[in-house]
Structures are given as structure tokens and as C-alpha cells.
Coordinates of all heavy atoms in Angstrom, one line a residue:
M12 N -36.0 -64.0 -13.2 CA -35.2 -63.1 -13.9 C -34.0 -63.8 -14.4 O -33.3 -64.5 -13.7 CB -34.7 -62.0 -12.9 CG -33.9 -60.9 -13.5 SD -33.7 -59.6 -12.4 CE -32.7 -58.4 -13.4
S13 N -33.7 -63.6 -15.7 CA -32.6 -64.2 -16.3 C -31.7 -63.2 -17.0 O -32.1 -62.0 -17.1 CB -33.1 -65.3 -17.3 OG -33.5 -64.6 -18.5
Y14 N -30.7 -63.6 -17.6 CA -29.8 -62.7 -18.3 C -30.5 -62.1 -19.4 O -30.2 -61.0 -19.8 CB -28.5 -63.5 -18.8 CG -27.3 -62.8 -18.4 CD1 -26.6 -63.1 -17.3 CD2 -26.7 -61.9 -19.3 CE1 -25.4 -62.5 -17.0 CE2 -25.6 -61.2 -19.0 CZ -24.9 -61.5 -17.9 OH -23.7 -60.9 -17.6
H15 N -31.4 -62.8 -20.1 CA -32.1 -62.3 -21.2 C -33.0 -61.1 -20.9 O -33.4 -60.3 -21.8 CB -32.9 -63.4 -21.9 CG -32.0 -64.5 -22.4 ND1 -31.2 -64.4 -23.5 CD2 -31.8 -65.7 -21.9 CE1 -30.6 -65.5 -23.7 NE2 -30.9 -66.3 -22.7
D16 N -33.3 -60.9 -19.6 CA -34.2 -59.8 -19.2 C -33.4 -58.5 -19.1 O -34.0 -57.5 -19.0 CB -34.8 -60.1 -17.9 CG -35.7 -61.4 -18.0 OD1 -36.4 -61.5 -19.0 OD2 -35.7 -62.2 -17.1
L17 N -32.1 -58.6 -19.1 CA -31.3 -57.5 -18.8 C -31.0 -56.8 -20.1 O -30.1 -57.2 -20.9 CB -30.0 -57.9 -18.1 CG -30.2 -58.6 -16.8 CD1 -28.9 -59.2 -16.3 CD2 -30.9 -57.7 -15.8
I18 N -31.8 -55.8 -20.5 CA -31.7 -55.2 -21.8 C -30.6 -54.3 -22.1 O -30.2 -54.1 -23.2 CB -33.1 -54.6 -22.2 CG1 -33.5 -53.5 -21.3 CG2 -34.1 -55.7 -22.3 CD1 -34.7 -52.8 -21.7
N19 N -30.1 -53.6 -21.1 CA -29.1 -52.6 -21.3 C -27.8 -53.0 -20.7 O -26.9 -52.2 -20.4 CB -29.5 -51.2 -20.9 CG -29.5 -51.1 -19.4 OD1 -29.9 -51.9 -18.7 ND2 -29.0 -49.9 -18.9
I20 N -27.7 -54.2 -20.5 CA -26.5 -54.7 -19.7 C -25.5 -55.4 -20.6 O -25.8 -56.2 -21.5 CB -27.0 -55.8 -18.7 CG1 -28.0 -55.2 -17.7 CG2 -25.8 -56.3 -17.9 CD1 -27.6 -53.9 -17.0
E21 N -24.3 -54.9 -20.5 CA -23.2 -55.5 -21.3 C -22.7 -56.8 -20.6 O -22.5 -56.8 -19.4 CB -22.1 -54.5 -21.3 CG -21.0 -54.8 -22.2 CD -20.0 -53.6 -22.3 OE1 -20.4 -52.6 -22.8 OE2 -18.9 -53.8 -21.8
E22 N -22.5 -57.8 -21.4 CA -22.1 -59.0 -20.8 C -20.5 -59.1 -20.9 O -19.9 -58.8 -21.9 CB -22.6 -60.2 -21.6 CG -24.1 -60.3 -21.5 CD -24.6 -61.5 -22.4 OE1 -23.9 -62.6 -22.3 OE2 -25.6 -61.4 -23.1
F23 N -20.0 -59.5 -19.8 CA -18.5 -59.8 -19.9 C -18.2 -61.1 -19.2 O -17.0 -61.5 -19.3 CB -17.8 -58.6 -19.2 CG -18.0 -58.5 -17.8 CD1 -17.3 -59.2 -16.9 CD2 -19.0 -57.6 -17.3 CE1 -17.6 -59.0 -15.5 CE2 -19.3 -57.4 -16.0 CZ -18.5 -58.2 -15.1
E24 N -19.2 -61.8 -18.7 CA -18.9 -63.1 -18.2 C -19.7 -64.1 -19.0 O -20.7 -63.8 -19.5 CB -19.4 -63.1 -16.7 CG -18.5 -62.3 -15.8 CD -19.0 -62.4 -14.3 OE1 -20.2 -62.7 -14.1 OE2 -18.1 -62.3 -13.5
K25 N -19.3 -65.3 -18.9 CA -20.0 -66.3 -19.6 C -21.4 -66.5 -18.8 O -21.4 -66.4 -17.6 CB -19.3 -67.7 -19.5 CG -18.1 -67.6 -20.5 CD -17.4 -69.0 -20.5 CE -16.2 -69.0 -21.4 NZ -15.4 -70.2 -21.3
R26 N -22.4 -66.8 -19.6 CA -23.7 -66.9 -19.0 C -23.8 -68.0 -17.9 O -24.5 -67.9 -16.9 CB -24.7 -67.1 -20.0 CG -24.9 -65.9 -20.9 CD -26.0 -66.2 -22.0 NE -26.0 -65.0 -22.9 CZ -27.0 -64.7 -23.6 NH1 -28.1 -65.4 -23.6 NH2 -26.9 -63.7 -24.4
D27 N -23.1 -69.0 -18.1 CA -23.2 -70.1 -17.2 C -22.5 -69.8 -15.8 O -22.7 -70.6 -14.9 CB -22.7 -71.4 -17.8 CG -21.2 -71.3 -18.2 OD1 -20.6 -70.3 -17.9 OD2 -20.7 -72.3 -18.8
T28 N -21.8 -68.7 -15.8 CA -21.3 -68.3 -14.5 C -22.2 -67.4 -13.8 O -22.0 -67.0 -12.6 CB -19.9 -67.6 -14.6 OG1 -20.1 -66.4 -15.3 CG2 -18.9 -68.5 -15.4
F29 N -23.3 -66.9 -14.4 CA -24.2 -66.0 -13.9 C -25.3 -66.7 -13.2 O -26.1 -67.4 -13.8 CB -24.7 -65.1 -14.9 CG -25.6 -64.0 -14.4 CD1 -25.0 -62.8 -14.0 CD2 -27.0 -64.1 -14.4 CE1 -25.8 -61.8 -13.5 CE2 -27.8 -63.1 -13.9 CZ -27.2 -61.9 -13.5
N30 N -25.4 -66.6 -11.9 CA -26.5 -67.3 -11.1 C -27.5 -66.3 -10.7 O -27.3 -65.6 -9.7 CB -25.8 -68.0 -9.9 CG -26.8 -68.9 -9.2 OD1 -28.0 -68.7 -9.4 ND2 -26.3 -69.8 -8.5
S31 N -28.6 -66.2 -11.4 CA -29.6 -65.2 -11.0 C -30.4 -65.5 -9.7 O -31.0 -64.6 -9.2 CB -30.6 -65.1 -12.2 OG -31.3 -66.3 -12.3
E32 N -30.2 -66.7 -9.2 CA -30.8 -67.0 -8.0 C -30.1 -66.4 -6.8 O -30.6 -66.1 -5.8 CB -31.0 -68.5 -7.8 CG -31.9 -69.1 -8.7 CD -32.0 -70.6 -8.5 OE1 -31.4 -71.1 -7.6 OE2 -32.8 -71.2 -9.3
R33 N -28.8 -66.1 -7.0 CA -28.0 -65.5 -6.0 C -27.8 -64.1 -6.5 O -26.8 -63.8 -7.1 CB -26.7 -66.2 -5.8 CG -27.0 -67.6 -5.3 CD -25.7 -68.4 -5.3 NE -24.7 -67.9 -4.5 CZ -23.4 -68.3 -4.5 NH1 -23.1 -69.2 -5.4 NH2 -22.5 -67.8 -3.7
W34 N -28.7 -63.2 -6.3 CA -28.8 -61.9 -7.0 C -28.0 -60.9 -6.2 O -28.5 -59.8 -5.8 CB -30.3 -61.5 -7.2 CG -30.5 -60.4 -8.1 CD1 -31.1 -59.2 -7.8 CD2 -30.1 -60.3 -9.5 NE1 -31.1 -58.4 -8.9 CE2 -30.5 -59.0 -9.9 CE3 -29.4 -61.2 -10.3 CZ2 -30.3 -58.6 -11.2 CZ3 -29.2 -60.7 -11.6 CH2 -29.6 -59.5 -12.1
W35 N -26.8 -61.2 -5.8 CA -25.9 -60.3 -5.1 C -25.0 -59.7 -6.1 O -23.8 -60.1 -6.1 CB -25.2 -61.0 -3.9 CG -24.6 -62.4 -4.3 CD1 -25.3 -63.6 -4.3 CD2 -23.3 -62.6 -4.8 NE1 -24.4 -64.5 -4.7 CE2 -23.3 -64.0 -5.1 CE3 -22.2 -61.8 -5.1 CZ2 -22.1 -64.6 -5.5 CZ3 -21.1 -62.4 -5.6 CH2 -21.0 -63.8 -5.8
V36 N -25.5 -58.8 -6.9 CA -24.6 -58.3 -7.9 C -24.3 -56.8 -7.6 O -24.9 -56.2 -6.8 CB -25.3 -58.4 -9.3 CG1 -25.5 -59.8 -9.7 CG2 -26.6 -57.6 -9.3
S37 N -23.3 -56.4 -8.3 CA -23.0 -55.0 -8.2 C -23.2 -54.3 -9.6 O -23.2 -55.0 -10.6 CB -21.5 -54.8 -7.8 OG -21.3 -55.3 -6.5
F38 N -23.3 -53.0 -9.6 CA -23.5 -52.3 -10.8 C -22.3 -51.3 -11.0 O -21.9 -50.6 -10.1 CB -24.8 -51.5 -10.7 CG -26.0 -52.4 -10.5 CD1 -26.4 -52.6 -9.3 CD2 -26.6 -52.9 -11.6 CE1 -27.5 -53.4 -9.1 CE2 -27.7 -53.7 -11.4 CZ -28.2 -54.0 -10.2
Y39 N -21.8 -51.3 -12.2 CA -20.6 -50.5 -12.5 C -21.1 -49.5 -13.6 O -21.6 -49.9 -14.6 CB -19.5 -51.3 -13.0 CG -18.3 -50.5 -13.5 CD1 -17.3 -50.1 -12.6 CD2 -18.1 -50.2 -14.8 CE1 -16.2 -49.4 -13.0 CE2 -17.0 -49.5 -15.2 CZ -16.1 -49.1 -14.3 OH -15.0 -48.4 -14.7
C40 N -20.9 -48.2 -13.3 CA -21.2 -47.2 -14.3 C -20.0 -46.8 -15.1 O -18.9 -46.5 -14.5 CB -21.7 -45.9 -13.6 SG -22.1 -44.6 -14.7
K41 N -20.1 -47.0 -16.4 CA -19.0 -46.8 -17.3 C -18.7 -45.3 -17.4 O -17.6 -44.9 -17.9 CB -19.2 -47.4 -18.6 CG -19.2 -48.9 -18.5 CD -19.0 -49.6 -19.8 CE -20.2 -49.4 -20.7 NZ -20.0 -50.1 -22.0
D42 N -19.7 -44.4 -17.1 CA -19.4 -43.0 -17.2 C -18.8 -42.5 -15.9 O -17.8 -41.7 -15.9 CB -20.8 -42.2 -17.4 CG -21.3 -42.5 -18.8 OD1 -20.5 -42.7 -19.7 OD2 -22.5 -42.5 -18.9
C43 N -19.3 -43.0 -14.7 CA -18.7 -42.6 -13.5 C -17.4 -43.4 -13.2 O -16.6 -43.0 -12.3 CB -19.7 -42.8 -12.3 SG -21.2 -41.8 -12.5
K44 N -17.3 -44.5 -13.9 CA -16.1 -45.4 -13.7 C -15.9 -45.9 -12.3 O -14.8 -45.9 -11.7 CB -14.8 -44.6 -14.2 CG -14.8 -44.3 -15.7 CD -13.5 -43.7 -16.1 CE -13.3 -43.7 -17.6 NZ -14.5 -43.2 -18.3
K45 N -17.0 -46.2 -11.7 CA -17.0 -46.9 -10.4 C -18.3 -47.7 -10.2 O -19.2 -47.5 -10.9 CB -16.8 -45.8 -9.3 CG -17.9 -44.8 -9.2 CD -17.5 -43.8 -8.1 CE -18.6 -42.7 -8.0 NZ -18.2 -41.7 -7.0
I46 N -18.3 -48.4 -9.1 CA -19.5 -49.1 -8.7 C -20.4 -48.2 -8.1 O -20.1 -47.4 -7.2 CB -19.1 -50.3 -7.8 CG1 -18.3 -51.4 -8.6 CG2 -20.3 -50.9 -7.1 CD1 -17.9 -52.6 -7.9
V47 N -21.7 -48.2 -8.6 CA -22.7 -47.2 -8.1 C -24.0 -47.9 -7.7 O -24.2 -49.1 -7.9 CB -23.0 -46.3 -9.3 CG1 -21.8 -45.5 -9.7 CG2 -23.6 -47.1 -10.5
E48 N -24.8 -47.2 -7.1 CA -26.2 -47.6 -6.8 C -27.0 -47.3 -8.1 O -26.7 -46.4 -8.9 CB -26.8 -46.8 -5.6 CG -26.0 -47.0 -4.3 CD -26.2 -48.4 -3.8 OE1 -27.3 -49.0 -3.9 OE2 -25.2 -49.0 -3.4
T49 N -28.1 -48.1 -8.2 CA -28.9 -47.9 -9.4 C -30.3 -47.7 -9.1 O -30.8 -48.2 -8.0 CB -28.7 -49.0 -10.4 OG1 -29.1 -50.2 -9.8 CG2 -27.3 -49.1 -11.0
D50 N -31.1 -47.0 -10.0 CA -32.5 -47.0 -9.9 C -33.1 -47.8 -11.0 O -32.5 -47.9 -12.1 CB -33.0 -45.6 -10.1 CG -32.9 -44.7 -8.9 OD1 -33.0 -45.3 -7.8 OD2 -32.7 -43.5 -9.1
R51 N -34.2 -48.5 -10.8 CA -34.9 -49.1 -11.9 C -36.2 -48.4 -12.1 O -37.0 -48.4 -11.2 CB -35.1 -50.6 -11.5 CG -35.2 -51.5 -12.7 CD -35.0 -52.9 -12.4 NE -36.3 -53.5 -11.9 CZ -36.4 -54.7 -11.4 NH1 -35.4 -55.4 -11.2 NH2 -37.6 -55.1 -11.0
K52 N -36.2 -47.8 -13.2 CA -37.4 -46.9 -13.5 C -38.7 -47.6 -13.5 O -39.7 -47.1 -13.0 CB -37.2 -46.2 -14.9 CG -36.2 -45.1 -14.9 CD -36.8 -43.9 -14.1 CE -35.8 -42.7 -14.2 NZ -36.3 -41.6 -13.3
N53 N -38.7 -48.8 -14.2 CA -39.9 -49.5 -14.3 C -39.7 -50.9 -13.9 O -38.8 -51.6 -14.4 CB -40.4 -49.5 -15.8 CG -41.7 -50.1 -15.9 OD1 -42.1 -51.1 -15.3 ND2 -42.5 -49.7 -16.9
P54 N -40.4 -51.4 -12.9 CA -40.1 -52.8 -12.4 C -40.2 -53.9 -13.5 O -39.6 -54.9 -13.4 CB -41.2 -53.0 -11.4 CG -41.6 -51.7 -11.0 CD -41.5 -50.8 -12.2
K55 N -40.9 -53.5 -14.6 CA -41.1 -54.5 -15.7 C -39.9 -54.5 -16.6 O -39.7 -55.4 -17.4 CB -42.4 -54.3 -16.4 CG -43.6 -54.6 -15.6 CD -44.8 -54.3 -16.5 CE -46.1 -54.6 -15.6 NZ -47.3 -54.2 -16.4
W56 N -39.1 -53.4 -16.6 CA -38.0 -53.3 -17.5 C -36.7 -53.4 -16.7 O -36.6 -52.7 -15.7 CB -38.0 -51.9 -18.2 CG -39.2 -51.6 -19.0 CD1 -40.2 -52.5 -19.5 CD2 -39.7 -50.3 -19.4 NE1 -41.1 -51.8 -20.1 CE2 -40.9 -50.5 -20.1 CE3 -39.2 -49.0 -19.3 CZ2 -41.6 -49.4 -20.7 CZ3 -39.8 -48.0 -19.8 CH2 -41.0 -48.2 -20.5
Y57 N -35.9 -54.2 -17.1 CA -34.6 -54.3 -16.4 C -33.6 -53.3 -17.0 O -32.6 -53.7 -17.5 CB -34.1 -55.8 -16.5 CG -35.0 -56.7 -15.8 CD1 -35.9 -57.5 -16.4 CD2 -35.1 -56.7 -14.4 CE1 -36.8 -58.3 -15.7 CE2 -35.9 -57.5 -13.7 CZ -36.8 -58.3 -14.4 OH -37.6 -59.1 -13.7
T58 N -34.0 -52.1 -16.8 CA -33.1 -51.0 -17.2 C -32.7 -50.3 -16.0 O -33.5 -49.8 -15.2 CB -33.9 -50.0 -18.1 OG1 -34.4 -50.7 -19.3 CG2 -33.0 -48.9 -18.6
F59 N -31.4 -50.2 -15.8 CA -30.9 -49.6 -14.6 C -30.2 -48.3 -14.9 O -29.5 -48.1 -15.8 CB -29.8 -50.6 -13.9 CG -30.4 -51.9 -13.6 CD1 -30.4 -53.0 -14.4 CD2 -31.0 -52.1 -12.3 CE1 -30.9 -54.2 -14.1 CE2 -31.5 -53.3 -12.0 CZ -31.5 -54.4 -12.9
L60 N -30.5 -47.3 -14.0 CA -30.0 -46.0 -14.2 C -29.0 -45.7 -13.0 O -29.3 -46.0 -11.8 CB -31.1 -44.9 -14.2 CG -32.1 -45.0 -15.3 CD1 -33.1 -43.8 -15.1 CD2 -31.4 -44.8 -16.6
C61 N -27.9 -45.2 -13.4 CA -26.9 -44.8 -12.3 C -27.6 -43.7 -11.5 O -28.1 -42.7 -12.0 CB -25.7 -44.3 -13.0 SG -24.5 -43.5 -11.9
T62 N -27.5 -43.7 -10.2 CA -28.0 -42.7 -9.4 C -27.2 -41.4 -9.3 O -27.6 -40.4 -8.8 CB -28.2 -43.2 -7.9 OG1 -27.0 -43.7 -7.4 CG2 -29.3 -44.3 -7.9
I63 N -26.0 -41.5 -9.8 CA -25.1 -40.4 -9.8 C -25.3 -39.5 -11.1 O -25.6 -38.3 -11.0 CB -23.6 -40.8 -9.6 CG1 -23.5 -41.5 -8.3 CG2 -22.7 -39.6 -9.7 CD1 -22.2 -42.2 -8.1
C64 N -25.1 -40.2 -12.2 CA -25.2 -39.4 -13.5 C -26.5 -39.6 -14.2 O -26.7 -38.9 -15.2 CB -24.0 -39.8 -14.4 SG -24.1 -41.5 -15.0
K65 N -27.4 -40.4 -13.7 CA -28.7 -40.6 -14.2 C -28.7 -41.2 -15.6 O -29.7 -41.0 -16.3 CB -29.5 -39.3 -14.2 CG -29.5 -38.5 -12.9 CD -30.2 -39.4 -11.8 CE -30.2 -38.5 -10.5 NZ -30.6 -39.4 -9.3
W66 N -27.7 -41.8 -16.0 CA -27.7 -42.4 -17.3 C -27.6 -44.0 -17.1 O -27.5 -44.5 -16.0 CB -26.5 -41.9 -18.1 CG -26.6 -42.3 -19.6 CD1 -25.6 -42.8 -20.3 CD2 -27.7 -42.1 -20.4 NE1 -26.1 -43.1 -21.6 CE2 -27.3 -42.6 -21.7 CE3 -29.0 -41.6 -20.3 CZ2 -28.2 -42.6 -22.8 CZ3 -29.9 -41.6 -21.3 CH2 -29.5 -42.1 -22.6
K67 N -27.7 -44.7 -18.2 CA -27.9 -46.1 -18.1 C -26.7 -46.9 -18.7 O -26.9 -47.9 -19.3 CB -29.2 -46.6 -18.8 CG -29.3 -46.1 -20.2 CD -30.7 -46.4 -20.8 CE -30.8 -45.9 -22.2 NZ -32.2 -46.2 -22.7
N68 N -25.6 -46.3 -18.5 CA -24.4 -46.9 -19.0 C -23.8 -47.9 -17.9 O -22.7 -47.8 -17.5 CB -23.3 -45.8 -19.3 CG -22.4 -46.3 -20.4 OD1 -22.5 -47.4 -21.0 ND2 -21.5 -45.5 -20.8
I69 N -24.7 -48.8 -17.6 CA -24.4 -49.7 -16.5 C -24.0 -51.1 -16.9 O -24.6 -51.7 -17.8 CB -25.7 -49.8 -15.6 CG1 -26.1 -48.4 -15.1 CG2 -25.6 -50.8 -14.5 CD1 -25.1 -47.9 -14.1
V70 N -23.0 -51.6 -16.2 CA -22.6 -53.0 -16.4 C -23.0 -53.7 -15.1 O -22.8 -53.2 -14.0 CB -21.1 -53.1 -16.7 CG1 -20.7 -54.5 -16.9 CG2 -20.7 -52.2 -17.9
I71 N -23.5 -54.9 -15.3 CA -23.9 -55.7 -14.1 C -23.0 -56.9 -14.0 O -22.6 -57.5 -14.9 CB -25.4 -56.1 -14.2 CG1 -25.9 -56.6 -12.9 CG2 -25.6 -57.1 -15.3 CD1 -27.4 -56.8 -12.9
G72 N -22.7 -57.2 -12.7 CA -21.9 -58.4 -12.5 C -21.7 -58.6 -11.0 O -22.1 -57.8 -10.2
T73 N -21.0 -59.6 -10.7 CA -20.6 -59.8 -9.4 C -19.5 -58.7 -9.0 O -18.8 -58.2 -9.9 CB -20.0 -61.2 -9.1 OG1 -18.8 -61.3 -9.9 CG2 -20.9 -62.3 -9.5
H74 N -19.4 -58.4 -7.7 CA -18.5 -57.4 -7.3 C -17.0 -57.8 -7.8 O -16.3 -57.0 -8.3 CB -18.5 -57.2 -5.8 CG -17.8 -56.0 -5.4 ND1 -18.4 -54.7 -5.5 CD2 -16.6 -55.8 -4.8 CE1 -17.5 -53.8 -5.0 NE2 -16.5 -54.5 -4.6
E75 N -16.7 -59.1 -7.6 CA -15.4 -59.6 -7.9 C -15.2 -59.5 -9.4 O -14.1 -59.2 -9.9 CB -15.2 -61.0 -7.4 CG -14.9 -61.0 -5.9 CD -13.8 -60.1 -5.5 OE1 -12.7 -60.2 -6.1 OE2 -14.0 -59.3 -4.5
G76 N -16.2 -59.9 -10.2 CA -16.1 -59.9 -11.6 C -15.9 -58.5 -12.1 O -15.0 -58.2 -13.0
L77 N -16.6 -57.5 -11.6 CA -16.5 -56.1 -12.0 C -15.1 -55.6 -11.6 O -14.5 -54.9 -12.4 CB -17.6 -55.3 -11.4 CG -19.0 -55.5 -11.9 CD1 -20.0 -54.8 -11.0 CD2 -19.1 -55.0 -13.3
R78 N -14.7 -56.0 -10.5 CA -13.4 -55.5 -10.0 C -12.3 -55.9 -10.9 O -11.4 -55.2 -11.3 CB -13.1 -55.9 -8.6 CG -13.8 -55.1 -7.6 CD -13.5 -55.5 -6.2 NE -12.0 -55.5 -5.9 CZ -11.5 -56.0 -4.8 NH1 -12.3 -56.5 -3.9 NH2 -10.2 -56.0 -4.6
S79 N -12.3 -57.2 -11.3 CA -11.2 -57.7 -12.1 C -11.4 -57.2 -13.6 O -10.4 -57.0 -14.2 CB -11.2 -59.2 -12.1 OG -12.4 -59.8 -12.6
N80 N -12.6 -57.1 -14.0 CA -12.8 -56.6 -15.4 C -12.5 -55.2 -15.6 O -11.9 -54.8 -16.7 CB -14.3 -56.9 -15.8 CG -14.5 -57.0 -17.3 OD1 -13.9 -57.9 -17.9 ND2 -15.2 -56.1 -17.8
Y81 N -12.7 -54.3 -14.6 CA -12.6 -52.9 -14.8 C -11.4 -52.4 -13.9 O -11.3 -51.2 -13.8 CB -13.8 -52.2 -14.5 CG -14.9 -52.4 -15.6 CD1 -15.8 -53.4 -15.4 CD2 -14.8 -51.7 -16.8 CE1 -16.8 -53.6 -16.4 CE2 -15.7 -52.0 -17.8 CZ -16.7 -52.9 -17.6 OH -17.5 -53.2 -18.6
K82 N -10.7 -53.3 -13.3 CA -9.5 -52.9 -12.6 C -9.8 -51.9 -11.5 O -9.2 -50.9 -11.3 CB -8.4 -52.2 -13.5 CG -8.1 -53.1 -14.7 CD -7.2 -54.2 -14.4 CE -6.6 -54.9 -15.6 NZ -7.7 -55.7 -16.3
I83 N -10.9 -52.2 -10.8 CA -11.3 -51.3 -9.7 C -10.5 -51.7 -8.5 O -10.4 -52.8 -8.1 CB -12.8 -51.5 -9.4 CG1 -13.7 -51.2 -10.7 CG2 -13.3 -50.7 -8.2 CD1 -15.1 -51.6 -10.6
K84 N -10.0 -50.7 -7.8 CA -9.3 -50.9 -6.6 C -10.2 -51.1 -5.4 O -11.2 -50.6 -5.3 CB -8.4 -49.7 -6.3 CG -7.3 -49.5 -7.3 CD -6.3 -48.4 -6.9 CE -5.2 -48.3 -7.8 NZ -5.6 -47.9 -9.2
Ligands
ZN130 ZN1 -22.9 -42.9 -13.5

């Protein structure tokens, strides 16, 4: 799995900081404005749906990266 597989994911970090082998990432829903759990509808598609609002306005990143980018407390 690489960054190019993530089709609905907005990038905010440089790719070379993204380590897909250490897949401890968090998902931030821009509609719910918080870090959420996600569903992946189809294992072949890297499309993540927010489990709260059921939409795919998801940003992926490390927890620390998301926190600093979105000012999450
Ligand atoms: Zn949501």
C-alpha cells in the first residue's frame, strides 16, 4: 500500500515523511471535525468512510500530524 493507492485522501504532509510500513495512522473527518473511526467499503479501494457521518471527507495522517494540521486538542 502506498500513498498513490489512497484515492480520496488529501495530502498535507510530504510523501517522504509517510511511512506506509508503519501503518499507525489516524483518520480525520473534515465534516465531523475530529478524529474518527473509518470503514473501508471495498478492500480493493482505499476509500475510507467516516463511521459517524458515513461520508468520505477523510484526511489520513499520523495522529500528531493531524493534530498539528487541524489544531485538534
Ligand atoms: Zn464524519
Side-chain angles (χ1 to χ4, degrees):
M12 185 168 180
S13 77
Y14 227 93
H15 297 285
D16 297 319
L17 304 171
I18 57 175
N19 72 319
I20 303 302
E21 187 174 293
E22 294 180 44
F23 64 88
E24 291 182 331
K25 290 181 181 174
R26 291 182 187 201
D27 59 6
T28 66
F29 185 86
N30 187 340
S31 61
E32 291 180 1
R33 297 167 65 192
W34 193 238
W35 44 272
V36 295
S37 295
F38 301 92
Y39 176 84
C40 176
K41 293 199 290 184
D42 291 328
C43 299
K44 294 184 167 49
K45 61 182 178 182
I46 289 180
V47 296
E48 299 293 316
T49 56
D50 281 331
R51 208 163 81 189
K52 282 289 184 189
N53 184 328
K55 293 181 181 176
W56 302 342
Y57 294 106
T58 303
F59 298 91
L60 295 179
C61 172
T62 56
I63 297 171
C64 65
K65 310 298 183 191
W66 191 232
K67 54 186 180 183
N68 208 2
I69 297 295
V70 181
I71 193 170
T73 64
H74 194 76
E75 285 305 310
L77 290 169
R78 278 181 57 186
S79 63
N80 203 61
Y81 291 97
K82 309 283 191 287
I83 301 167
K84 293 188 175 65

